[in-house]
Amino acid sequence: MKITEQVWQFSEPLVEACGCTLWDVEYVREGGDWFLRLYIDKFGGVDIDDCEAVSRAVDPVLDEKDPIPESYRFEVCSAGLERVLKRPSDFERYIGEKIMIKLYRPKNGCKEFAAVLKSYDDGNVTAVVGNEEMTFEKAEIALVRLRVEF
């Protein structure tokens, strides 16, 4: 089982006990350091106190379970307004919302599309771009995130 899956399993109930939901678990190398990040969400928004409470709840369990052999930095963050959509449930939750789609290679001369999410089917994303409905194949999508306009 992947590190992120292990951490998700034991962290999710702890995050929920703090009044939040677990949005994502990320284990990445940046520069020369490894980072384990929990992204959390809460109705009305996440603040620094929520991040601190989750960190205090999860940190001792991380030490006890020790799922990561090398040294790493542990962070708890808000999922953010422009959160990345990854799981089918993420896409289903945000049907009808504004999104940004980033592609690996240009399509119709563009690599980024501001759109409205119409549907999600097994990794393929259908969205309304301007007045046109477009479907993006899973293999061409680098990233889909919510888009907020001010």
Side-chain angles (χ1 to χ4, degrees), residues 51-63:
C51 293
E52 183 180 352
V54 169
S55 180
R56 289 180 190 272
V58 174
D59 194 43
V61 179
L62 274 171
D63 289 343

Side-chain angles (χ1 to χ4, degrees), residues 122-139:
D122 195 32
N124 300 323
V125 175
T126 301
V128 177
V129 179
N131 294 323
E132 181 185 354
E133 186 175 299
M134 297 178 71
T135 298
F136 300 88
E137 302 293 322
K138 181 179 181 177

Side-chain angles (χ1 to χ4, degrees), residues 6 10 21 29 60 70 87-88 92 95 120 129 138 149:
Q6 290 176 50
F10 66 75
T21 57
R29 187 175 187 120
E70 56 269 354
R87 294 173 301 283
E92 290 161 16
I95 297 288
Y120 177 84
V129 179
K138 181 179 181 177
E149 293 177 343

Side-chain angles (χ1 to χ4, degrees), residues 23-24 79-80 82-87 90 143-146:
W23 181 261
D24 196 15
E82 293 191 331
R83 64 193 59 191
V84 175
L85 305 181
K86 293 183 178 181
R87 294 173 301 283
D90 299 345
L143 176 85
V144 178
R145 65 171 173 75
L146 293 180

Side-chain angles (χ1 to χ4, degrees), residues 16-145:
E16 289 174 356
C18 293
C20 299
T21 57
L22 185 57
W23 181 261
D24 196 15
V25 176
E26 178 180 75
Y27 183 60
V28 295
R29 187 175 187 120
E30 293 177 359
D33 297 321
W34 283 95
F35 290 84
L36 175 65
R37 291 190 184 104
L38 300 188
Y39 292 93
I40 60 173
D41 195 16
K42 180 175 87 173
F43 182 76
V46 170
D47 62 25
I48 191 73
D49 294 331
D50 296 315
C51 293
E52 183 180 352
V54 169
S55 180
R56 289 180 190 272
V58 174
D59 194 43
V61 179
L62 274 171
D63 289 343
E64 176 190 319
K65 302 262 187 203
D66 199 23
I68 304 170
E70 56 269 354
S71 69
Y72 61 93
R73 295 173 191 235
F74 176 53
E75 297 177 346
V76 178
C77 315
S78 165
L81 291 176
E82 293 191 331
R83 64 193 59 191
V84 175
L85 305 181
K86 293 183 178 181
R87 294 173 301 283
S89 60
D90 299 345
F91 287 91
E92 290 161 16
R93 179 176 175 185
Y94 290 104
I95 297 288
E97 297 293 328
K98 295 175 182 174
I99 58 171
M100 178 63 70
I101 301 169
K102 294 185 180 187
L103 305 178
Y104 292 112
R105 287 179 219 73
K107 180 175 188 163
N108 301 341
C110 295
K111 284 181 76 172
E112 292 188 11
F113 294 85
V116 174
L117 180 60
K118 183 161 185 198
S119 67
Y120 177 84
D121 181 31
D122 195 32
N124 300 323
V125 175
T126 301
V128 177
V129 179
N131 294 323
E132 181 185 354
E133 186 175 299
M134 297 178 71
T135 298
F136 300 88
E137 302 293 322
K138 181 179 181 177
E140 65 185 339
I141 299 172
L143 176 85
V144 178
R145 65 171 173 75

